[in-house]
């Protein structure tokens, strides 16, 4: 459901340009990395022969810079003495992540900017599956700073089970032992998906595998930008066209394989069909007028 009223016309139009600003920022990092490879390191063919490496390095640099600027996401309240609070889509994240508990999988934690929300004693262990190894140093530093390094395990992989299960076994914690004997037992009490399902390969399959890794009664906490629901009353046909334009001009290439036009809500719903659906499927829709509309909420797997 969505209770949000669209902003004034001018604000909506300016909001359409937010992806353009992010893409321009990411592009500058990519071209800088390519230039350094060619002119500084003498790797003339690197932009052709080492494209994946350069893209990963550039995106890692961009994401570290982007996530290190909390002022972009915070708004002070001049009428109170309260500290600045998250605004926009960032405001959807804190109330959701603070409910995480048990054995937790954080899919694509990036630099760990959300780690302060994951320090609850109710979290017994936390696994961060981050395929971009260039972000691991920052992720490790944040875990130490938050005092959870002893229970935080960095996994150098994505969310696909073929990568995730071996990486979990390599931690030596025994977290997958029961799962290997009985897949219905699952692995995690909570799985976090925050701005990550937009970029995972084979989204439908990956979401299905994540569903399988949830323990019965386990919860999937989701905050994701999705394809604009232009067919709904609060959706926008103009925003849907804008999403297509950004995709055409290289959004996925420069923004770590992110896709603006994925039907993540539909894929999440279908993932539980094998068990007759989710026990609870509660998602709030926000910013449906924009080129980056969001869904956010808690999905609960049926118990045994």
């Amino acid at each position: 459901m969505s209770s949000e009223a669209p902003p004034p016309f001018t604000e909506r139009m300016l909001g359409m340009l937010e992806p353009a600003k992010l893409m321009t920022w990411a592009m500058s990092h990519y071209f800088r990395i390519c230039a350094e490879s060619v002119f500084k390191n003498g790797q003339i063919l690197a932009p052709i022969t080492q494209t994946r490496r350069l893209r990963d390095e550039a995106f890692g640099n961009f994401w570290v810079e982007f996530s290190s600027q909390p002022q972009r996401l915070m708004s002070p309240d001049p009428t109170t003495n309260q500290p600045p609070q998250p605004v926009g889509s960032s405001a959807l994240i804190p109330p959701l992540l603070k409910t995480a508990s048990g054995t937790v999988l954080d899919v694509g934690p990036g630099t760990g900017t959300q780690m302060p929300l994951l320090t609850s004693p109710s979290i017994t262990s936390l696994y961060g599956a981050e395929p971009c190894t260039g972000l691991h140093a920052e992720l490790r530093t944040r875990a130490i700073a938050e005092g959870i390094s002893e229970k935080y395990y960095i996994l150098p992989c994505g969310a696909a089970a073929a990568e995730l299960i071996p990486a979990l076994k390599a931690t030596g914690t025994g977290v997958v032992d029961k799962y290997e004997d009985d897949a219905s037992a699952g692995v995690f009490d909570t799985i976090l998906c925050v701005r990550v399902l937009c970029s995972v390969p084979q989204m439908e399959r990956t979401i299905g595998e994540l569903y399988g890794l949830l323990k019965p009664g386990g919860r999937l906490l989701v905050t994701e930008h999705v394809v604009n629901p232009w067919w709904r009353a609060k959706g926008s046909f103009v925003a849907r066209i804008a999403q297509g334009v950004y995709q055409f001009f290289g959004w996925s290439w420069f923004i770590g394989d992110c896709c603006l036009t994925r039907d993540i809500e539909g894929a999440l719903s279908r993932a539980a069909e094998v068990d007759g659906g989710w026990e609870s499927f509660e998602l709030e829709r926000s910013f449906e007028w924009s080129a980056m509309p969001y869904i956010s909420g808690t999905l609960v797997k049926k118990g045994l």
Side-chain angles (χ1 to χ4, degrees):
M1 59 177 294
S2 175
S3 57
E4 177 194 43
F9 176 79
T10 301
E11 188 176 337
R12 292 204 305 272
M13 292 301 100
L14 289 175
M16 297 291 181
L17 298 177
E18 182 64 20
K21 292 188 291 185
L22 293 175
M23 189 164 69
T24 301
W25 191 355
M27 287 170 65
S28 69
H29 280 279
Y30 178 73
F31 292 131
R32 186 182 307 135
I33 290 295
C34 288
E36 288 178 357
S37 295
V38 173
F39 300 110
K40 183 177 179 180
N41 302 327
Q43 300 172 329
I44 298 176
L45 297 179
I48 299 174
T49 62
Q50 301 180 45
T51 303
R52 182 78 259 181
R53 179 184 68 81
L54 297 181
R55 285 180 64 201
D56 287 347
E57 184 177 349
F59 177 71
N61 291 347
F62 158 72
W63 197 250
V64 168
E65 185 175 302
F66 171 79
S67 59
S68 66
Q69 298 192 18
Q71 68 271 18
R72 288 172 50 84
L73 307 175
M74 308 293 278
S75 177
D77 186 347
T79 65
T80 70
N81 293 322
Q82 297 298 316
Q85 298 298 310
V87 298
S89 61
S90 295
L92 303 173
I93 301 171
L96 193 67
L97 265 56
K98 287 182 178 179
T99 68
S101 62
T103 302
V104 177
L105 174 66
D106 189 1
V107 182
T111 59
T113 53
Q114 282 125 207
M115 210 175 290
L117 304 172
L118 301 173
T119 58
S120 169
S122 63
I123 296 177
T124 55
S125 58
L126 184 57
Y127 297 84
E130 178 51 65
C132 185
T133 56
L135 303 179
H136 286 189
E138 182 72 14
L139 193 56
R140 192 171 294 108
T141 298
R142 286 182 184 270
I144 294 172
E146 296 298 333
I148 60 173
S149 58
E150 292 186 358
K151 63 179 181 180
Y152 194 99
Y153 302 89
I154 301 174
L155 308 178
C157 66
E163 303 175 40
L164 189 56
I165 297 301
L168 288 168
K169 291 179 67 175
T171 64
T173 60
V175 68
V176 294
D177 289 351
K178 290 184 179 179
Y179 176 80
E180 290 186 309
D181 293 334
D182 178 13
S184 66
V187 177
F188 300 104
D189 299 290
T190 309
I191 295 179
L192 314 177
C193 292
V194 178
R195 296 171 174 158
V196 67
L197 296 178
C198 58
S199 59
V200 297
Q202 298 180 300
M203 180 190 67
E204 291 266 358
R205 178 176 177 178
T206 298
I207 291 176
E209 291 175 346
L210 288 174
Y211 174 82
L213 292 173
L214 275 176
K215 295 178 180 178
R219 295 175 303 136
L220 182 63
L221 309 183
V222 179
T223 299
E224 298 283 352
H225 67 79
V226 297
V227 63
N228 189 282
W230 59 269
W231 60 92
R232 295 197 187 107
K234 294 184 179 180
S236 169
F237 184 66
V238 173
R240 178 64 185 88
I241 292 176
Q243 287 181 321
V245 170
Y246 287 126
Q247 285 293 136
F248 178 80
F249 283 103
W251 172 270
S252 294
W253 177 270
F254 296 108
I255 312 289
D257 296 320
C258 172
C259 180
L260 290 171
T261 57
R262 284 185 170 179
D263 179 18
I264 296 175
E265 182 176 349
L268 288 169
S269 178
R270 291 187 290 272
E273 288 179 350
V274 64
D275 293 326
W278 296 86
E279 179 177 303
S280 176
F281 191 88
E282 298 182 359
L283 291 177
E284 180 83 11
R285 302 187 188 99
S286 304
F287 316 114
E288 293 185 281
W289 51 268
S290 75
M292 296 188 77
Y294 271 77
I295 56 172
S296 183
T298 301
L299 284 59
V300 181
K301 187 175 184 178
K302 288 181 178 179
L304 294 177

